[in-house]
Amino acid sequence: MRKYVIMGVQGSGKGTQSQMLRDDLDLVHISVGDIFRWHVRNHTKIGAQVRRIMAAGDLVGDDLVEDVVRRRLDDHDWNFGFIIDGFPRNGRQAEFFMESYDIDAVIHLQLTDEEVRRRVLSRRLCPNCGMDYNLIADRPEEEGRCDICGHELVTRADDTPEALEARLRDYHEKTRPVLELFRRKEVVHDVDGRPPLEEVQQAIRKTLGLPAYRTR
Ligand code: AMP
């Protein structure tokens, strides 16, 4: 059983790196942001509560976040373990989490704010199939269209310069202290988030003592 947390500012590649670990190690990938986006897309009650907060790049209230995480982990579909992404994001969430679950490692993807701005503002998403693109490093073949399903690509509602600045501020003020807390428990593995995806994945594997990543 492997229990990991992945941390890093938006655009550092948390989602992609988590999916690469999930596919290979049969982990369950729990992305709190994806859960909330699902609620917004499906117009649920929770969706109505979080839509504006998310679009502004602000953090959703702790009670709701903890409830969503608790319910997701209570599904107990993680026989081989989980990798949780986007949580905990402040001291209170970290305490809640550590009271209930032991974790084996925190993967910290490091990236400067400047690189984050460059990446995030060029990020595009297919709202139909969920495929991610980047206008700098990973362009779609036809401009503005998804390579997989042909749907028109969109910018995430919270990938605006204003929302990004709010998220960077929150990250430095609230999430960094969480990292320091985990550091004191000696579970943090720092990984440089700048190299290409597969190199970052190999570095994660190496520091966690996992088998090397193989492209299929
Ligand atoms: P992400 O995809 O992780 O960037 O999350 C998208 C948005 O969902 C964030 O900007 C927040 O509005 C909300 N969110 C996700 N995770 C959390 C969390 N742990 N605490 C509070 N808000 C969160």
Side-chain angles (χ1 to χ4, degrees):
M1 171 86 68
R2 298 180 168 114
K3 287 180 272 181
Y4 300 135
V5 167
I6 189 161
M7 292 181 68
V9 72
Q10 283 74 12
S12 58
K14 285 176 299 187
T16 312
Q17 296 300 334
S18 305
Q19 282 160 17
M20 289 160 101
L21 285 168
R22 172 198 68 190
D23 291 346
D24 211 24
L25 303 170
D26 278 332
L27 304 181
V28 169
H29 172 213
I30 300 173
S31 158
V32 178
D34 282 352
I35 295 175
F36 284 140
R37 275 185 286 278
W38 181 91
H39 282 283
V40 170
R41 248 193 339 270
N42 290 285
H43 305 285
T44 68
K45 254 193 202 167
I46 290 183
Q49 275 175 272
V50 302
R51 189 174 59 88
R52 283 188 198 181
I53 300 173
M54 286 180 76
D58 293 332
L59 291 180
V60 172
D62 292 332
D63 287 339
L64 181 55
V65 171
E66 286 169 17
D67 203 37
V68 161
V69 170
R70 189 183 302 112
R71 277 201 232 167
R72 182 63 192 85
L73 286 168
D74 279 352
D75 283 344
H76 281 283
D77 55 345
W78 34 279
N79 296 330
F80 296 98
F82 59 75
I83 179 156
I84 188 155
D85 148 8
F87 179 91
R89 259 175 148 107
N90 60 30
R92 185 181 133 176
Q93 294 179 9
E95 275 167 33
F96 155 81
F97 193 52
M98 288 194 296
E99 271 169 23
S100 316
Y101 306 94
D102 288 331
I103 44 165
D104 299 309
V106 173
I107 304 157
H108 172 223
L109 295 177
Q110 295 177 303
L111 215 57
T112 62
D113 287 2
E114 204 181 324
E115 177 64 15
V116 168
R117 288 190 187 97
R118 201 175 73 88
R119 283 191 185 187
V120 168
L121 299 177
S122 61
R123 186 152 76 168
R124 297 292 179 274
L125 175 75
C126 174
N128 187 44
C129 72
M131 188 72 188
D132 268 323
Y133 294 88
N134 187 290
L135 301 187
I136 304 164
D138 189 13
R139 303 178 67 87
E141 271 171 29
E142 186 190 336
E143 201 183 314
R145 295 244 159 244
C146 178
D147 292 347
I148 311 288
C149 70
H151 199 282
E152 197 176 332
L153 299 180
V154 298
T155 305
R156 254 172 64 164
D158 55 351
D159 279 350
T160 61
E162 298 74 25
L164 176 60
E165 291 312 315
R167 283 184 304 180
L168 282 171
R169 212 172 38 241
D170 267 336
Y171 186 78
H172 291 300
E173 279 173 19
K174 299 178 186 156
T175 311
R176 279 219 168 256
V178 174
L179 199 60
E180 295 316 315
L181 208 99
F182 284 135
R183 252 186 228 294
R184 289 202 288 278
K185 299 205 169 288
E186 301 185 352
V187 287
V188 177
H189 295 253
D190 293 309
V191 175
D192 184 356
R194 287 170 305 175
L197 292 178
E198 287 188 8
E199 265 178 55
V200 175
Q201 180 69 196
Q202 294 299 17
I204 293 175
R205 300 292 179 105
K206 195 164 170 212
T207 181
L208 295 180
L210 296 170
Y213 179 73
R214 286 182 217 292
T215 40
R216 291 166 215 205

